[in-house]
Amino acid sequence: MSYNSFFEMGALLVLSVLLVRYYLLRRFPDRASRIFGMYMVTGILDISLDILGCFIIDHINSVPVRITLLVNNAFYMMQSILPLMLLAYVAFSNHAIYNSTKKAKYLLVLPSAVFCLLVLLNPALHLFSNVVGEMGQLVFVSGKGPILLYASTLFYLLIINIFALRHRKKMEPVNFRTIVSYTVLLLITMGIQFMIPDVLMTGTGIMLTILLMNFSLQDPAMMLDSNTNLFNFRAMERYLEDSAIHKTKLYISIVCLENLIDLSGTISVWALNDLCITIGKRLEAIVKDKGWAFSMLTDRFALVCENESDALSVQEALQELFSDAWATERYSILFTATIRNCVTDGEQTPSDIVNLINIAFTEVDDGTRGKMLPIDGKCLERGRHRLRLEEAIRSAIKNDSGFTLRFQPIYDMRKKAFTRAEVLLRLETDDLGVVFPNEFMPIVKAMGLMGEIDNLVVDRTCRFFYYHPELKEFGLDRISLNLSAPDSFYAARNTVKEIVSRWLVKPSQLIFEMTETVTLSNYLTVAELMTEMSEEGFAFALDDFGTGYANIMEMQSLPFRSVKLDRSILSADNKAGRIVLNDLTTMLHSIGKIIVMEGVETKEQLDYVNSLGIEFVQGFYFSKPMRELEFMEFLKEKNG
């Protein structure tokens, strides 16, 4: 029988070009990449031996029998190894699959090992091939071995797909799709080869699977950051997965160049591109022969070492690198480099490490920006707590449950009654308990949900008015709400008006409180919002006055009806503090503002506030914030 090796030769040519390209390009040498390179080399050897073996069979009487058997046995050896290497690549590319396969690794290696042994014993057993006949009339005879090799390949493909299906949710979608695709390709080419044995197709199947894996999973270009030419975040994830598999202890230094992104508005695109390449080269030089440098984000980089002495050397080099300005022919730049160092214990998952880094940088403030500091051991715990908070916040907004209101009464010094109250938001869940705004509001802001929270508080407050008409009898006529995001509130002002109208609440029953900091940081938006809403009857109060930077001119220009003085002014237990409070009261009254004094906790403080003519008082002297039913009982007792 004469063999048609046209497709095999084409496959060999394509794989040879691909192999050269793969090793010429800069690639990340993790275990999966090394196994993929070995898989390509083995595939090329397999196809080469297949072509050579079939050529020898076609000219069997011209070649020594020993050479014929040796070449074909070597081909069958490659055939028995390839499926196992494919399984190894899949395992090392997917952390979850590796954890499953390592428990049964000896069982999984067994079929391939048995076939390799049988190939070695073929000269005695003739299970795979034999040459019979007299010289000049030699005939090549295939045994039952090739059929068993088909069965072995099917076994490994079945195992790969079982693991892929079992861990599909933990895999990247592209990984799962690639596994399914090359399984289909191999089955098709194996089927064609089985039905048309004289047309060599096995190598075509191998070539197609390698092409698919290369361009979907293993292309070296996919592991490089185009801006800095460093290995990218995907490569870093692969490295962390590889380290987790082998429980390798890592020393990681993360560098955030705080002002890098801002440079896009001050230097040209070409200059910025050159700068990014320079950053990549200098970081790579620091870790040369010590570890790896990765680009995590546009302005954030990770340098990873596997021993402490190298890590200390890298940290010293980083401090020196960013201590002075970078001078070139066209510009001079002094980077604000915030550096955080952490050590992994070999037990943390890649997601744990990335979360640890992200949390560490969300905690950077003006006091720690631009400094090199270690990431403390409790950072990951805080990070997990933050993730639970984020999930609780999303769930509370989506399901309209979890956020609850507390009511703190405000005493009217003139009417000697509680005519106002402030609503305070709390987050309550079974696992987190009661969470206060100072903990969850920064997260709400980071999640971009401030507008949803403001609308929720307005809706709950209006609902409270609607279901408690007896509030009028009790003398409570207004409720204050904290407004933390004027920008989002301005955008949703029509929604707020609709909520108020839906619950049949008068705009004059609501007072929106804003702090000095919020007011000044969004002055134009605040001014337009207050003017429009005030014309419709809504009232505004300046909250925590005395802690920010507001001045008398800004007070006059914005339609605040009342001002809440911060508790710190009253708690200043000295003569100077009393003078400040007295002067503030005189000033605010002189421009027609109503004053609310926060933080009154003692009878002495109450009497002093009363002597200054301050109209409203709020504080623990009267009551802590209460739940709805408790607050209604309080009003009934005090005002009823």
Side-chain angles (χ1 to χ4, degrees):
M1 179 174 63
S2 180
Y3 291 97
N4 184 343
S5 59
F6 174 78
F7 293 105
E8 295 290 82
M9 290 182 179
L12 180 61
L13 177 63
V14 171
L15 280 186
S16 299
V17 172
L18 189 65
L19 183 68
V20 172
R21 173 184 179 273
Y22 183 77
Y23 280 101
L24 284 178
L25 287 175
R26 187 162 175 262
R27 66 198 182 283
F28 187 66
D30 62 337
R31 288 172 177 82
S33 300
R34 288 196 288 268
I35 291 173
F36 181 73
M38 292 167 58
Y39 184 69
M40 273 201 291
V41 171
T42 306
I44 289 174
L45 287 175
D46 177 85
I47 297 171
S48 301
L49 289 169
D50 193 17
I51 294 171
L52 180 61
C54 290
F55 177 82
I56 289 174
I57 291 172
D58 287 341
H59 303 81
I60 192 168
N61 289 296
S62 305
V63 180
V65 172
R66 186 174 297 176
I67 299 296
T68 302
L69 293 175
L70 179 64
V71 169
N72 280 277
N73 287 343
F75 165 71
Y76 290 128
M77 183 73 77
M78 294 298 104
Q79 286 277 295
S80 65
I81 292 173
L82 277 171
L84 180 61
M85 293 185 68
L86 185 59
L87 174 61
Y89 172 75
V90 171
F92 278 101
S93 300
N94 299 274
H95 192 200
I97 293 180
Y98 176 84
N99 286 336
S100 295
T101 55
K102 71 177 183 179
K103 298 174 184 177
K105 57 184 177 182
Y106 296 113
L107 289 176
L108 294 175
V109 170
L110 187 61
S112 182
V114 168
F115 277 105
C116 287
L117 179 62
L118 292 175
V119 170
L120 292 174
L121 295 175
N122 185 65
L125 300 177
H126 305 304
L127 183 64
F128 290 88
S129 60
N130 193 19
V131 176
V132 297
E134 301 294 330
M135 184 59 67
Q137 295 182 332
L138 297 175
V139 178
F140 182 84
V141 179
S142 292
K144 301 295 184 181
I147 301 298
L148 296 177
L149 276 175
Y150 275 114
S152 174
T153 302
L154 291 173
F155 167 77
Y156 280 109
L157 287 177
L158 179 63
I159 293 297
I160 290 170
N161 281 270
I162 288 174
F163 281 123
L165 286 169
R166 182 179 176 185
H167 300 288
R168 183 177 182 179
K169 293 182 179 179
K170 298 179 182 179
M171 296 171 61
E172 291 184 25
V174 65
N175 287 22
F176 182 79
R177 289 196 298 269
T178 302
I179 288 173
V180 173
S181 299
Y182 66 57
T183 299
V184 172
L185 285 172
L186 284 175
L187 289 176
I188 290 173
T189 53
M190 286 170 62
I192 294 173
Q193 181 71 84
F194 186 78
M195 291 184 291
I196 313 175
D198 59 328
V199 178
L200 304 183
M201 290 294 295
T202 305
T204 303
I206 295 170
M207 179 269 292
L208 291 174
T209 60
I210 291 175
L211 277 177
L212 181 65
M213 288 190 291
N214 181 77
F215 292 110
S216 62
L217 300 178
Q218 204 57 50
D219 188 353
M222 294 169 61
M223 296 292 174
L224 294 176
D225 175 58
S226 58
N227 294 322
T228 61
N229 206 35
L230 294 173
F231 291 116
N232 59 20
F233 183 64
R234 180 175 182 177
M236 181 175 173
E237 286 184 310
R238 289 272 290 269
Y239 179 78
L240 294 178
E241 286 178 358
D242 209 41
S243 300
I245 286 171
H246 295 88
K247 301 188 183 302
T248 305
K249 189 174 184 178
L250 299 177
Y251 299 82
I252 308 175
S253 292
I254 308 95
V255 184
C256 181
L257 301 181
E258 304 280 356
N259 51 339
L260 177 59
I261 294 177
D262 296 335
L263 292 175
S264 59
T266 58
I267 63 176
S268 68
V269 174
W270 296 274
L272 186 59
N273 288 340
D274 289 342
L275 179 62
C276 289
I277 293 296
T278 302
I279 291 170
K281 288 180 178 178
R282 293 190 180 184
L283 291 177
E284 200 160 56
I286 287 176
V287 295
K288 185 177 181 181
D289 300 325
K290 298 183 181 73
W292 304 99
F294 301 94
S295 174
M296 296 183 67
L297 297 170
T298 303
D299 58 352
R300 189 182 300 176
F301 310 92
L303 282 67
V304 187
C305 302
E306 295 187 6
N307 69 71
E308 187 174 6
S309 61
D310 286 340
L312 292 174
S313 174
V314 166
Q315 291 167 20
E316 291 176 6
L318 281 174
Q319 286 186 307
E320 183 178 350
L321 179 64
F322 296 108
S323 60
D324 299 318
W326 290 23
T328 69
E329 295 179 358
R330 290 177 288 181
Y331 51 78
S332 178
I333 297 171
L334 180 62
F335 283 111
T336 302
T338 301
I339 304 172
R340 296 293 179 265
N341 302 314
C342 70
V343 181
T344 70
D345 56 11
E347 299 292 336
Q348 293 160 311
T349 65
S351 61
D352 281 342
I353 296 171
V354 173
N355 285 337
L356 178 72
I357 293 170
N358 290 336
I359 293 300
F361 278 91
T362 61
E363 295 178 347
V364 172
D365 55 26
D366 292 338
T368 59
R369 185 171 285 108
K371 297 181 180 179
M372 176 182 284
L373 295 171
I375 298 176
D376 66 80
K378 294 184 178 180
C379 189
L380 184 58
E381 183 180 333
R382 293 196 299 273
R384 288 170 175 165
H385 179 69
R386 180 188 175 97
L387 291 175
R388 289 196 297 271
L389 272 176
E390 289 180 0
E391 181 58 33
I393 289 166
R394 292 191 190 94
S395 177
I397 293 175
K398 180 180 179 180
N399 302 318
D400 194 25
S401 64
F403 281 116
T404 59
L405 299 184
R406 299 291 190 275
F407 299 82
Q408 186 170 31
I410 300 175
Y411 188 70
D412 188 331
M413 300 293 286
R414 296 165 300 182
K415 295 183 179 180
K416 307 299 181 186
F418 295 95
T419 60
R420 295 184 181 183
E422 180 181 3
V423 293
L424 302 163
L425 192 62
R426 303 287 186 266
L427 175 63
E428 294 185 70
T429 68
D430 292 337
D431 60 328
L432 296 173
V434 179
V435 186
F436 288 83
N438 63 330
E439 184 176 359
F440 68 75
M441 285 305 288
I443 298 174
V444 169
K445 184 177 181 181
M447 295 170 69
L449 298 174
M450 296 294 283
E452 285 83 349
I453 292 297
D454 283 339
N455 289 346
L456 183 147
V457 175
V458 171
D459 183 77
R460 296 283 182 85
T461 304
C462 291
R463 192 185 305 178
F464 173 73
F465 270 118
Y466 181 82
Y467 285 113
H468 294 287
E470 66 271 26
L471 289 171
K472 188 174 183 180
E473 298 176 16
F474 293 159
L476 189 88
D477 50 27
R478 288 188 171 187
I479 289 183
S480 300
L481 306 82
N482 288 291
L483 182 59
S484 302
D487 289 338
S488 57
F489 191 84
Y490 179 78
R493 63 193 184 283
N494 291 328
T495 302
V496 171
K497 295 174 187 176
E498 187 275 326
I499 291 171
V500 173
S501 175
R502 182 183 352 124
W503 291 107
L504 306 177
V505 174
K506 296 177 181 179
S508 60
Q509 292 177 279
L510 301 178
I511 302 174
F512 296 113
E513 298 182 0
M514 287 183 286
T515 64
E516 294 179 47
T517 304
V518 168
T519 301
L520 291 179
S521 62
N522 303 274
Y523 185 82
L524 295 177
T525 301
V526 168
E528 188 173 348
L529 172 67
M530 291 181 67
T531 300
E532 179 181 329
M533 300 287 280
S534 295
E535 289 175 355
E536 300 195 24
F538 294 96
F540 289 84
L542 185 63
D543 193 15
D544 295 339
F545 184 72
T547 60
Y549 306 96
N551 59 47
I552 189 68
M553 296 304 295
E554 289 160 347
M555 292 297 304
Q556 288 180 317
S557 64
L558 295 172
F560 287 112
R561 290 188 186 178
S562 56
V563 177
K564 297 185 77 172
L565 298 181
D566 187 69
R567 66 184 66 243
S568 61
I569 301 173
L570 181 62
S571 62
D573 191 17
N574 53 54
K575 184 177 179 180
R578 293 295 176 97
I579 292 173
V580 170
L581 179 56
N582 188 47
D583 289 347
L584 279 176
T585 302
T586 302
M587 178 193 70
L588 293 171
H589 279 156
S590 69
I591 59 174
K593 303 300 180 184
I594 295 171
I595 302 175
V596 181
M597 186 70 243
E598 293 184 301
V600 175
E601 298 182 357
T602 67
K603 180 67 165 59
E604 180 185 359
Q605 289 177 333
L606 178 65
D607 291 340
Y608 178 64
V609 168
N610 188 33
S611 70
L612 296 176
I614 291 176
E615 294 85 354
F616 292 91
V617 177
Q618 177 181 355
F620 285 4
Y621 176 75
F622 297 108
S623 173
K624 294 180 179 181
M626 296 172 280
R627 295 180 184 272
E628 183 176 325
L629 294 179
E630 186 182 0
F631 177 61
M632 292 304 297
E633 289 296 324
F634 176 89
L635 285 180
K636 184 177 180 180
E637 179 187 343
K638 301 295 183 179
N639 285 5

